Amino acid sequence: MPKILIVGGGYAGFYTAWKLEKWLRSGEAEVTVVDPLPYMTYQPFLPEVAAGSIEPRHAVTGLRRHLKQTRVVAGKVTKITHADKTAHIVANAGEEWDEEYDQIVVTAGAVSRTFPIPGVADEAIGLKTIEEATAIRDRILTNFDKAAQLPPGPERDRLLTVVVVGGGFAGIEVFAELRSFVSALIESYPEIGFEETHFHLIEAMGRIMPEVSLPTSLWVIDNLAKRGATVHLDTQLKSAVGGVVELSTGESFESDLIIWTAGVMATPDIKNSDLPIEERGRLRVRADLRVEGDDGIVEGAWGAGDVSAVPDLTGGGVGGYCVPNAQHAVRQGKLLAKNIVAELRGEGVKDYYHKNMGAVAGLGIGIGVFQSGKLAIKGLPAWFAHRGYHGLAMPSWERKLRVIWGWVNNFFLGRDNVSLQAREHPRRAFEEFAARPRVAAPAGAAPASSAPAAAAPAASAQPNAQLPGSHSSTPSATAEVNGVAATDTAPEAPKGDAPAPAKKTAKPRTKAAATAGE
């Protein structure tokens, strides 16, 4: 039976496996998906997750739940040797092995592309994963709790300042969603005024959102300005060391939350393979999604999604290639599954062709923009279009219903505003109060209970230790050490020896004695 190995469980990888399950006949091929995270993240929802509009788990699709006939491996492909048709896999549990395959599908996705700007690697956070979006939400809520306790000053300003680097769709959406989130959050914090919250977006180019028309992008900037947010155009980030943001304009301010959305790049791991890579580090593929080298088609190798340089036959792509977004990755995954099935059956494959239907962005509750050709829609209608499109685009009805039901709940109940940042150290409280064994006495030391009873202090046997506010109805001779009961009882004397000392009985302390012992 042919073996199909899918590297990466993101958009393209998940949809390839999902559709293969639908179109392959029973026993026609064996499909395996390898990804260190056993779920697909629907990235267009990340800004709403960061703003508390969507429950984090609802924005991901579990591979094992929806891929019933596919073998799912939680691990990472660290090397591909296509000449031998083997891939080296390192499982999350630590086991390593070489996996053999007949067809390989590389859909490893992309990661945040950064530049060597001082402080960015140490202070900033990206917006490519559900974990990053959740951390952003918790940081804002935690910072509000801290700022509410501080007097006006530099530290309070730092906690209430949000900086986003990058004016593309991802940057603008998270910037606007967080502005909406914070504006609503102020109602729960009477100690903090609206004018004390500061939002800065930094864009190196002279405009934002190149996917929409210039008038539409200018409307977005004007709308953000009315909501108390500043967009810095033709401005570069020079440094972020210690959270001090220094701009190319000379302006400087401090921030405790710097979000980097200024571009993506293909996952660097694909360089550990003998498959052809183009100058930007992406997999070289044809329009039919088959990998292509200098000598032609590489048999048994396919690629799609952000990790691949897929030709855009419509002529609308940047540099002649499809832009890295969900709209392309989902459709490429579906076509990839069809082409693999066709290849297995000796049928012809088809080229990928998708004309961009337009761009839609959510800018906070009740505000959005939609652009299709010369048609531009702004405000509430565009916001409904954004939620309608992405609500339906979420894979599986189970996920759709969870997301839409969450939106309905938020409409009536409002967004949750509780930080779960403590989840980063879930055992802290347990460790603080956990009982630990007593340190063993040094060898040769006399047991404390062997001393004459008369020499023992009056308080040698005390009632059970009590937490403040707790009560004990009767005194006891059992002392509790680190939560473990330790009864002060003399050891039993061997036969023929003197009788063992009588068991000590603790006496209730008087109020005066208890006070003296404290």
Side-chain angles (χ1 to χ4, degrees):
M1 183 188 301
K3 295 182 178 181
I4 302 171
L5 178 64
I6 301 175
V7 182
Y11 293 123
F14 171 78
Y15 272 92
T16 299
W18 204 25
K19 296 305 178 182
L20 281 174
E21 288 193 350
K22 179 180 179 180
W23 294 322
L24 283 172
R25 303 187 188 106
S26 178
E28 191 171 8
E30 177 185 307
V31 182
T32 298
V33 174
V34 182
D35 196 296
L37 299 175
Y39 50 80
M40 185 213 81
T41 301
Y42 191 75
Q43 294 183 3
F45 281 157
L46 293 183
E48 288 200 64
V49 171
S53 294
I54 293 179
E55 165 67 27
R57 286 181 298 177
H58 296 171
V60 300
T61 300
L63 301 184
R64 294 184 183 275
R65 175 160 189 165
H66 296 281
L67 300 178
K68 302 296 187 181
Q69 303 165 35
T70 301
R71 174 180 166 228
V72 177
V73 176
K76 191 173 184 179
V77 173
T78 59
K79 185 177 181 180
I80 299 172
T81 308
H82 192 66
D84 300 330
K85 290 197 173 180
T86 61
H88 189 74
I89 297 176
V90 179
N92 290 354
E95 184 181 359
E96 300 184 30
W97 70 91
D98 288 330
E99 182 87 8
E100 295 182 353
Y101 61 81
D102 297 291
Q103 305 278 339
I104 190 167
V105 178
V106 182
T107 54
V111 297
S112 296
R113 181 192 64 185
T114 59
F115 306 103
I117 300 172
V120 167
D122 300 317
E123 303 292 339
I125 185 172
L127 191 66
K128 288 290 292 178
T129 69
I130 196 71
E131 293 80 11
E132 289 173 324
T134 306
I136 290 170
R137 173 184 177 276
D138 287 342
R139 175 68 66 85
I140 286 179
L141 291 168
T142 300
N143 283 357
F144 259 69
D145 287 333
K146 293 178 180 178
Q149 303 169 11
L150 297 174
E155 178 61 14
R156 184 172 168 126
D157 286 342
R158 184 181 69 87
L159 293 171
L160 298 177
T161 298
V162 176
V163 176
V164 175
V165 184
F169 252 67
I172 289 295
E173 284 195 291
V174 72
F175 187 65
E177 288 283 358
L178 292 180
R179 176 69 271 184
S180 173
F181 180 42
V182 166
S183 296
L185 198 60
I186 290 173
E187 298 178 5
S188 301
Y189 290 84
E191 305 92 342
I192 299 174
F194 177 87
E195 68 283 353
E196 294 183 90
T197 61
H198 313 288
F199 278 73
H200 298 271
L201 184 134
I202 304 166
E203 171 53 49
M205 299 179 64
R207 61 163 297 177
I208 61 170
M209 305 174 73
E211 298 89 347
V212 304
S213 66
L214 182 59
T216 300
S217 70
L218 293 176
W219 180 90
V220 172
I221 293 175
D222 182 61
N223 178 269
L224 288 169
K226 292 177 180 177
R227 294 157 59 187
T230 304
V231 176
H232 304 263
L233 297 178
D234 293 314
T235 304
Q236 296 179 356
L237 176 65
K238 305 297 290 184
S239 175
V241 175
V244 179
V245 177
E246 297 181 7
L247 307 182
S248 58
T249 58
E251 188 175 358
S252 177
F253 44 84
E254 291 189 42
S255 173
D256 194 57
L257 179 57
I258 303 171
I259 305 170
W260 181 274
T261 65
V264 298
M265 65 179 182
T267 301
D269 294 339
I270 66 165
K271 295 179 181 178
N272 298 324
S273 75
D274 54 0
L275 296 173
I277 308 296
E278 49 98 70
E279 62 274 7
R280 294 188 62 185
R282 297 174 297 180
L283 192 65
R284 290 172 55 184
V285 301
R286 293 160 48 98
D288 58 16
L289 306 178
R290 288 185 288 184
V291 176
E292 183 178 41
D294 295 336
D295 299 326
I297 296 172
V298 178
E299 294 294 337
W302 309 78
D306 297 355
V307 77
S308 301
V310 180
D312 189 340
L313 301 183
T314 68
V318 178
Y321 297 101
C322 296
V323 296
N325 62 22
Q327 193 175 135
H328 283 302
V330 168
R331 289 168 174 80
Q332 288 170 11
K334 294 177 180 179
L335 177 65
L336 188 49
K338 286 184 178 180
N339 281 350
I340 291 174
V341 172
E343 179 82 3
L344 292 175
R345 297 173 183 172
E347 302 170 358
V349 298
K350 297 181 179 180
D351 287 344
Y352 175 73
Y353 183 93
H354 173 67
K355 189 173 181 62
N356 192 354
M357 298 184 299
V360 61
L363 305 176
I365 301 296
I367 307 172
V369 291
F370 171 79
Q371 183 86 44
S372 181
K374 294 184 179 180
L375 174 64
I377 303 175
K378 311 176 187 72
L380 185 62
W383 180 74
F384 277 117
H386 171 266
R387 285 207 160 177
Y389 172 77
H390 286 297
L392 293 176
M394 186 72 178
S396 86
W397 281 103
E398 178 259 338
R399 291 286 103 179
K400 289 177 173 58
L401 291 175
R402 290 183 187 274
V403 170
I404 295 172
W405 183 244
W407 284 335
V408 173
N409 283 338
N410 287 346
F411 179 80
F412 290 103
L413 305 176
R415 289 180 283 199
D416 284 331
N417 61 356
V418 176
S419 170
L420 297 179
Q421 195 171 52
R423 79 193 187 287
E424 296 177 6
H425 305 284
R427 296 187 68 250
R428 178 173 291 167
F430 180 82
E431 289 177 331
E432 181 178 355
F433 299 105
R436 291 176 170 81
R438 288 186 295 179
V439 179
S449 59
S450 64
S460 61
Q462 299 180 4
N464 285 342
Q466 300 292 319
L467 293 174
S470 62
H471 303 279
S472 176
S473 58
T474 58
S476 169
T478 302
E480 191 169 305
V481 182
N482 286 337
V484 179
T487 303
D488 190 6
T489 304
E492 183 181 353
K495 293 182 180 180
D497 290 351
K503 179 178 179 181
K504 299 177 185 177
T505 303
K507 297 180 180 180
R509 293 186 296 171
T510 63
K511 182 176 181 180
T515 304
E518 292 179 354

